[in-house]
Amino acid sequence: MKKALIITASVLLTLGILFYILITNSERSTHLHFTTRGGVFKNTVYYSAQPPETAAQHTCDGKFAEMRDDLFETHFRLWQEQYGGKAAGSR
């Protein structure tokens, strides 16, 4: 009986941890946009694990954070340093 309770508790704890991880990851932003103007992306759209994309190339999964326009130049310079060049169509 004691063994069954330990196994059940272990399974429930494992399921709880798995659900917590799934919920946490589903709420996390996957990428960032610079401020949109009337639903149209302004400047370049960046991904965390991919090179920069232009707005025309971008297909959005809806999980994004918006960045203010005044931060664009700083972030663009950092991404140029990381990827060694410019994205096609970006300024």
Side-chain angles (χ1 to χ4, degrees):
M1 182 71 176
K2 193 174 186 179
K3 248 184 172 177
L5 286 175
I6 292 172
I7 291 171
T8 303
S10 298
V11 168
L12 290 175
L13 180 64
T14 303
L15 286 174
I17 291 170
L18 288 174
F19 279 114
Y20 173 77
I21 291 170
L22 287 172
I23 290 169
T24 303
N25 286 341
S26 70
E27 294 174 357
R28 186 175 299 155
S29 298
T30 56
H31 61 287
L32 62 94
H33 294 169
F34 285 90
T35 303
T36 58
R37 301 258 170 90
V40 178
F41 298 132
K42 182 178 184 294
N43 294 324
T44 305
V45 178
Y46 290 101
Y47 277 86
S48 59
Q50 296 179 14
E53 289 184 316
T54 62
Q57 297 170 324
H58 180 58
T59 54
C60 188
D61 63 3
K63 298 179 185 175
F64 64 89
E66 282 198 6
M67 298 288 290
R68 297 186 330 251
D69 287 342
D70 61 314
L71 298 175
F72 175 76
E73 294 301 328
T74 303
H75 281 273
F76 188 68
R77 184 174 28 83
L78 292 172
W79 277 80
Q80 277 184 311
E81 291 170 6
Q82 180 176 350
Y83 290 101
K86 290 186 175 184
S90 62
R91 51 179 198 153

